[in-house]
């Protein structure tokens, strides 16, 4: 750090502020320090930093069902943002959602082993347990479909669902069927709520939602065989992209074409969705941003600088090839 300071023509304290991500550094000085860091290949010593600041330089992550897209992508964002600030991450996965398991997970991380904790378990049961636990460690939760909060990050999934349904109604469909996510997940409730709200706002009757037991394409295929028997079905909003993939296969086996006979909209915009056949119309969510925002807020909480609610992350509709006006 002394060598970096000499090369950049600044004090060692200024180098420390730049490395630590402080905002009270002039842009030109920050640029000089960053160039010196790159030229000298400087890397901060996490152990020394921890001793000097009385911090562990580690962020704990508690997650449930990493096979589900949102938590898995958010975890990547957490790791990347933590690394930028000289932090490492410590991951603990939950086998179940009872109070004892969640308490044990937090204990295994240890309040003396991490400076903050991010919880990637957007299920009502998990959050109910967390709110009843007492900890002095800063905690940020990932919650879907909830209002802005100082300690939780959320995507406006209700709005995303409304956008999907509005797109189908604008194409001329009388109503939209909904393949709902499994019970207990906040995403399931938020996306179903947006679907129902948009149909109600348009004065359209809402068919009963199709219930599922997990987030898999196999579930989409199973309910797709059921929907394919109803000739009134012209448009389906699926709560995630794997559902949409399974629906399309089931419809194809029944001789129904997407989108000529039935339009399908997914949710999440998985990286494979442009390569589905046909390419999937879906709602894209920036799950990686959740991780970056979580770490930024945790670091602000550690410094006592966290202010205000965390704004909702906005979704976007991506129109591809699985939606069209209804058949005549």
């Amino acid at each position: 750090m002394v060598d970096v300071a000499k090369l950049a023509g600044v004090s060692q304290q200024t180098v420390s502020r730049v490395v630590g991500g402080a905002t009270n550094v002039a842009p030109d000085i920050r640029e000089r320090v960053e160039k010196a860091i790159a030229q000298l290949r400087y890397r901060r010593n996490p152990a020394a930093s921890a001793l000097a600041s009385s911090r562990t330089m580690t962020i704990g992550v508690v997650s449930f069902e990493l096979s589900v897209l949102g938590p898995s992508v958010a975890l990547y964002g957490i790791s990347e943002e933590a690394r930028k600030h000289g932090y490492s991450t410590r991951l603990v996965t939950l086998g179940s959602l009872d109070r004892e398991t969640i308490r044990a997970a937090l204990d295994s991380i240890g309040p003396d082993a991490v400076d903050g904790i991010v919880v990637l378990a957007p299920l009502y049961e998990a959050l109910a347990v967390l709110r009843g636990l007492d900890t002095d460690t800063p905690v940020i939760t990932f919650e879907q479909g909830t209002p802005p909060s100082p300690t939780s990050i959320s995507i406006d999934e209700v709005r995303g669902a409304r956008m999907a349904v509005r797109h189908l109604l604008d194409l001329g469909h009388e109503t939209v069927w909904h393949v709902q996510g499994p019970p207990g997940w906040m995403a399931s409730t938020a996306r179903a709520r947006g679907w129902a709200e948009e149909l109600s706002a348009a004065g359209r009757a809402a068919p009963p939602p199709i219930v599922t037991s997990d987030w898999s394409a196999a579930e989409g295929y199973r309910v797709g065989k059921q929907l394919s028997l109803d000739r009134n079905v012209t448009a389906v909003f699926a709560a995630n992209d794997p559902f949409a993939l399974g629906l399309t296969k089931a419809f194809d086996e029944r001789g129904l074409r997407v989108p000529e006979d039935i339009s399908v909209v997914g949710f999440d915009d998985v990286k494979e969705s442009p390569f589905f056949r046909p390419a999937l119309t879906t709602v894209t969510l920036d799950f990686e941003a959740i991780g970056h925002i979580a770490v930024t807020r945790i670091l602000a909480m550690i410094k006592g600088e966290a202010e205000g609610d965390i704004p909702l992350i906005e979704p976007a509709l991506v129109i591809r090839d699985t939606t069209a006006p209804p058949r005549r």
Side-chain angles (χ1 to χ4, degrees):
M1 190 177 287
V2 172
D3 293 336
V4 170
K6 287 181 179 178
L7 182 59
V10 299
S11 68
Q12 186 176 338
Q13 288 77 13
T14 298
V15 176
S16 179
R17 288 201 299 272
V18 172
V19 173
T23 57
N24 59 336
V25 179
D28 59 324
I29 294 177
R30 182 182 300 277
E31 183 179 359
R32 278 160 45 197
V33 172
E34 289 175 345
K35 285 183 178 179
I37 287 172
Q39 184 175 340
L40 296 175
R41 301 181 187 179
Y42 168 75
R43 296 292 182 272
R44 75 190 303 179
N45 185 324
S49 299
L51 286 172
S53 62
S54 298
R55 296 177 188 163
T56 67
M57 304 307 293
T58 303
I59 294 174
V61 183
V62 178
S63 184
F64 180 76
E65 286 284 5
L66 279 177
S67 60
V68 175
L69 180 70
S72 65
V73 178
L75 178 61
Y76 173 78
I78 291 170
S79 300
E80 285 295 294
E81 189 66 26
R83 182 182 55 79
K84 291 178 185 177
H85 293 277
Y87 274 75
S88 61
T89 54
R90 183 173 180 180
L91 173 65
V92 175
T93 56
L94 298 172
S96 63
L97 298 174
D98 58 274
R99 181 183 180 87
E100 290 72 22
T101 300
I102 295 175
R103 176 76 265 181
L106 295 177
D107 288 343
S108 70
I109 290 177
D112 297 328
V114 297
D115 297 324
I117 298 172
V118 181
V119 181
L120 300 176
L123 294 96
Y124 291 107
E125 189 175 352
L127 293 172
V129 173
L130 282 167
R131 291 188 179 107
L133 298 177
D134 184 25
T135 177
D136 294 328
T137 305
V139 177
I140 291 289
T141 55
F142 169 37
E143 303 182 20
Q144 293 168 279
T146 59
S149 158
T151 57
S152 67
I153 303 170
S154 179
I155 298 175
D156 195 348
E157 303 202 14
V158 173
R159 181 167 182 262
R162 295 192 67 157
M163 293 166 66
V165 174
R166 172 46 51 192
H167 169 62
L168 291 166
L169 295 179
D170 286 346
L171 287 172
H173 295 276
E174 285 297 317
T175 191
V176 178
W177 274 254
H178 178 46
V179 179
Q180 189 171 350
W185 288 83
M186 303 184 78
S188 301
T189 302
R191 297 170 194 186
R193 177 183 155 200
W195 162 75
E197 285 183 358
E198 191 60 34
L199 287 180
S200 177
R204 308 296 175 86
I210 311 300
V211 179
T212 58
S213 60
D214 59 44
W215 291 103
S216 69
E219 275 292 89
Y221 175 74
R222 180 185 66 80
V223 302
K225 290 194 292 183
Q226 173 186 339
L227 284 170
S228 66
L229 299 175
D230 188 343
R231 297 185 62 85
N232 293 316
V233 177
T234 67
V236 182
F237 165 48
N240 76 346
D241 291 347
F243 284 170
L245 180 63
L247 286 166
T248 302
K249 177 176 173 58
F251 294 155
D252 180 69
E253 290 182 356
R254 294 283 188 180
L256 298 171
R257 297 166 299 166
V258 175
E260 292 85 355
D261 298 313
I262 301 179
S263 288
V264 176
V265 177
F267 210 92
D268 289 343
D269 195 20
V270 299
K271 62 182 180 181
E272 297 86 4
S273 60
F275 306 100
F276 288 4
R277 188 173 180 182
L280 182 63
T281 295
T282 185
V283 175
T284 185
L285 307 176
D286 193 350
F287 287 118
E288 187 175 332
I290 292 166
H292 294 289
I293 295 170
V295 172
T296 300
R297 177 52 66 114
I298 283 282
L299 297 181
M301 292 170 72
I302 292 170
K303 298 174 184 177
E305 299 173 355
E307 295 182 356
D309 293 335
I310 303 171
L312 297 180
I313 299 172
E314 293 297 324
L317 178 68
V318 181
I319 300 174
R320 296 193 180 104
D321 303 331
T322 56
T323 52
R327 59 183 181 268
R328 299 300 178 186

